[in-house]
Amino acid sequence: MSQAIAMGETTPRDEDSTRTFVEVTEIWVPEGNRLVWWSGNYGALSEFAGVSTKKGFNKGEGLPGNAWAEEKPIVLKDFDGSYFKRTDAARAAGLTSAVAFPIFAGKTLKAVVVVLCADDAVRTGAIEVWHEENGLLMLDDGYYGAAKHFEWVSQHTHFPRGQGLPGGVWAAEAPMLMRDLGSGYRFIRAESAGKAGLTTGLGLPIATPNGRTYVMTLLSALGTPIARRFELWKVRSARTGGGKEAVLADGICERDGPLWDDETETCVPAWQGPIGEVVGSGIPIVKHDTAAPTAGYASMVAVPIYRADAIHHVVAWYS
């Protein structure tokens, strides 16, 4: 794979006609005692975007503010009667559920990432939150769209350290990609995943200042994918010139197949391209439209993964 593709420097293609599992992604960053809008991709939902970009949240207010206050990922499967502050605008846009997760560097909040989904009879995927309890990872909550049987299986599944995708992330304290979920022996819920059409899994360790263990999993289906390309980057000290750089550690793409090989190392220095921007700033980003080339895709999300107060990985997904 060329370095230009890895850094998102090709001309974007037209957006695929397949609807993705996630409709909206937005980044909120602390400014004083409030969270303010930083960036987002709203697709064609311009009215919801107009409402969102003018909002701000105190700690403990709304979905972003609660993720900050509770220091953990939160799933909201129904906005009615909840603390979600944009219910009317979300309903008008066809959005029905959301997941928010905080990005902490040690005890310092860097950002809150929020993804919003629309529910229908066919949209299938999973965004799950797992927490450690008595030496096992238990399902905290999750959103599954139309994958109701897989949701039931997940609610009755737990993971020891090192087992399955959530347990593997827990043991490695690092993000992981897992392919062929429906047939892979490493994916504990393979049979039900296959029936739901789930194919690719991304697991993220969520660092929290309270010391509790959380793992998020994003499980993508071919028909309504969470993303069409996933990349895992390992952050290290730059080999020349000082500073930091990211090296591609793993990746999978619908169009290009496997992205990583052990013969060609792909590196991105801090502040170069979207991945380098995350390495340099320590803040997640959303890029979209032709003004922000994203490896030939219409949009990308890139998120730093911290251990204590240092970035160890950057995870990116493209739609």
Side-chain angles (χ1 to χ4, degrees):
M1 178 186 61
S2 71
Q3 191 177 52
I5 290 177
M7 295 188 297
E9 295 180 355
T10 61
T11 302
R13 68 175 184 178
D14 292 334
E15 189 171 3
D16 195 292
S17 59
T18 302
R19 299 192 72 183
T20 55
F21 188 66
V22 173
E23 291 278 345
V24 170
T25 304
E26 50 189 21
I27 310 296
W28 301 83
V29 299
E31 187 176 276
N33 295 320
R34 284 174 63 79
L35 288 171
V36 299
W37 187 89
W38 181 254
S39 64
N41 178 23
Y42 297 86
L45 305 179
S46 56
E47 292 187 10
F48 185 74
V51 170
S52 300
T53 55
K54 297 180 179 68
K55 295 291 288 186
F57 297 96
N58 294 320
K59 189 173 185 179
E61 181 184 25
L63 179 57
N66 272 272
W68 180 9
E70 295 188 28
E71 300 180 350
K72 70 168 197 172
I74 295 176
V75 179
L76 274 184
K77 289 185 279 193
D78 188 356
F79 298 147
D80 291 335
S82 74
Y83 47 68
F84 193 77
K85 294 296 185 180
R86 296 168 283 168
T87 299
D88 291 341
R91 185 184 296 113
L95 300 170
T96 57
S97 57
V99 180
F101 60 99
I103 306 293
F104 281 98
K107 295 186 179 299
T108 302
L109 181 75
K110 304 294 285 186
V112 175
V113 182
V114 177
V115 298
L116 296 104
C117 303
D119 199 11
D120 56 40
V122 298
R123 200 156 332 193
T124 298
I127 304 175
E128 304 174 313
V129 177
W130 300 85
H131 72 277
E132 186 272 332
E133 185 176 316
N134 298 322
L136 296 171
L137 281 182
M138 316 293 289
L139 185 67
D140 196 73
D141 208 346
Y143 175 67
Y144 299 84
K148 301 304 182 186
H149 180 260
F150 185 78
E151 178 176 8
W152 183 88
V153 170
S154 301
Q155 290 168 345
H156 295 82
T157 303
H158 55 263
F159 294 94
R161 191 181 186 95
Q163 187 178 70
L165 178 58
V169 171
W170 181 20
E173 298 182 41
M176 291 179 61
L177 269 175
M178 194 171 282
R179 296 127 164 107
D180 302 321
L181 300 185
S183 57
Y185 69 93
R186 294 174 59 205
F187 193 73
I188 304 304
R189 298 167 285 166
E191 182 179 357
S192 55
K195 291 178 180 177
L198 301 172
T199 57
T200 305
L202 171 65
L204 308 176
I206 305 298
T208 61
N210 58 29
R212 293 201 65 189
T213 296
Y214 290 96
V215 173
M216 274 189 64
T217 51
L218 287 74
L219 310 180
S220 190
L222 284 178
T224 52
I226 287 177
R228 299 179 176 90
R229 176 186 179 109
F230 296 93
E231 296 172 349
L232 302 186
W233 298 80
K234 172 72 174 176
V235 178
R236 67 189 184 192
S237 297
R239 296 187 175 182
T240 59
K244 295 288 186 180
E245 66 183 11
V247 58
L248 187 65
D250 199 1
I252 186 70
C253 178
E254 278 186 14
R255 188 180 62 223
D256 303 322
L259 303 178
W260 173 85
D261 67 75
D262 55 7
E263 296 180 0
T264 305
E265 187 174 79
T266 301
C267 294
V268 177
W271 299 108
Q272 182 171 324
I275 301 300
E277 184 178 336
V278 176
V279 174
S281 70
I283 297 173
I285 60 170
V286 177
K287 299 285 188 182
H288 62 96
D289 299 330
T290 56
T294 53
Y297 287 90
S299 66
M300 75 170 292
V301 180
V303 175
I305 303 296
Y306 283 86
R307 286 186 193 167
D309 59 356
I311 299 176
H312 273 242
H313 293 84
V314 174
V315 177
W317 56 91
Y318 301 72
S319 301

